[in-house]
Amino acid sequence: MIAALDGIGFCEVIAESLVPQHGSRYGGAAGALRAFAAPHRGRAAARKSGRHTDIAVPEELELLMAGGIAAVPHGISLSLGGAEAVDPARVTHLAECARALGSPVVSEHIAFVRADGVEAGHLLPVPRTREALDALARNISRTRAELEVPLAVENIAALFEWPDAEFSEAEFLQELVERTGVYLLIDIANLYANARNRSRDPLTELLRLPTERLAYCHVAGGHEVGGRYHDTHSHPVPAEVLALVTEFTADRPVPLMLERDGNYPPATELAAELNSLATASGRPPVTLRPALSAGMSGP
């Protein structure tokens, strides 16, 4: 579907979905992203010849990269916010993914997904305490030491907050950036969901976040169930989130990415949703290639 769209600068691929060609599964920043996302026909072929990695890159992704679309590995399993040290094999896998794709940046989440060997199966929020910040900073520093490209970490949507917070979210992120030098991936939709569910003003919360080391932003849709707003990544982006995009990007030329994890619409509807995002941020429109539009009318 992405191949049918003109005007796409970059995409993400879940790092854990890329596997080595042999052996076990784990065998083996904004300016850079904007520069890479500009059209560079034929560049992917040159990258491919210089890769030293066992990661199998799907043909469809290779074709996108050959067309000048940057691919960013997006990790979901490092558990950076866990009390335990990050698994070196998982860090190596993330680094291998970046090398295989020639990526300008990699991203993960400010979250933990396991504790004492138990997998949560979900991204869980990190307590905003000094102790949790220390553990998060250690794991980010360990991860960055193994990567050849910058690391960006993402704020998550959470239906609860841990009690006894010692920092606001903005203070927590600011100290994290200052201590580790990590970049931020700000998910505007996640911030909107958290603010709405906690009866806070989303724009005020958004503008408090540190942006001096901002890699890119996520935008996604959701819906309300039982009085709680859920960031689903499978519904259209609401007008309230688009309004936040307009305010935030007015003086911040940050790359934006629309997240869709399911319930994929026809290509024409996806192009329309991307153009709503482009309009909100003052970016050039995305167009559907006429030669492919007939074959891409369905999901």
Side-chain angles (χ1 to χ4, degrees), residues 56-289:
V57 179
E59 182 179 359
E60 297 86 350
L61 187 55
E62 287 276 15
L63 291 174
L64 290 178
M65 293 159 56
I69 296 177
V72 175
H74 188 56
I76 58 174
S77 69
L78 279 191
S79 199
L80 291 171
E84 300 134 336
V86 285
D87 180 355
R90 294 179 188 272
V91 176
T92 297
H93 179 76
L94 186 60
E96 289 287 324
C97 289
R99 190 175 300 115
L101 302 179
S103 305
V105 65
V106 300
S107 55
E108 245 287 356
H109 298 83
I110 301 172
F112 70 98
V113 298
R114 71 183 62 84
D116 197 24
V118 178
E119 296 284 339
H122 195 72
L123 297 169
L124 298 174
V126 175
R128 293 198 300 270
T129 62
R130 177 68 59 183
E131 184 178 14
L133 178 61
D134 290 343
L136 176 62
R138 282 195 300 270
N139 279 334
I140 286 176
S141 295
R142 288 171 178 142
T143 301
R144 290 187 67 225
E146 299 300 320
L147 296 173
E148 298 172 2
V149 296
L151 170 67
V153 291
E154 176 185 357
N155 57 302
I156 70 167
L159 293 177
F160 70 93
E161 286 187 305
W162 296 101
D164 303 322
E166 299 173 32
F167 303 89
S168 67
E169 184 170 21
E171 292 168 341
F172 190 82
L173 294 179
Q174 182 69 56
E175 181 142 352
L176 181 66
V177 167
E178 290 176 355
R179 288 176 57 172
T180 66
V182 74
Y183 283 85
L184 293 181
L185 159 52
I186 293 180
D187 191 311
I188 296 176
N190 286 349
L191 181 139
Y192 170 77
N194 291 341
R196 175 169 167 172
N197 289 333
R198 293 163 178 72
S199 300
R200 298 171 184 162
D201 178 59
L203 181 58
T204 299
E205 295 294 303
L206 179 60
L207 296 181
R208 284 174 176 162
L209 298 183
T211 58
E212 63 271 16
R213 290 182 68 81
L214 180 57
Y216 61 106
C217 290
H218 279 171
V219 181
H223 69 156
E224 185 171 315
V225 177
R228 305 283 285 179
Y229 183 84
H230 294 261
D231 174 59
T232 63
H233 293 183
S234 59
H235 292 80
V237 179
E240 295 87 347
V241 173
L242 290 174
L244 291 175
V245 170
T246 298
E247 291 285 346
F248 190 71
T249 60
D251 57 357
R252 300 174 183 88
V254 60
L256 301 170
M257 199 199 78
L258 174 67
E259 284 192 294
R260 273 277 187 170
D261 295 345
N263 191 27
Y264 301 109
T268 51
E269 291 182 21
L270 180 61
E273 187 168 14
L274 284 164
N275 279 323
S276 295
L277 181 56
T279 298
S281 58
R283 310 292 168 84
V286 171
T287 57
L288 190 62
R289 295 174 184 168

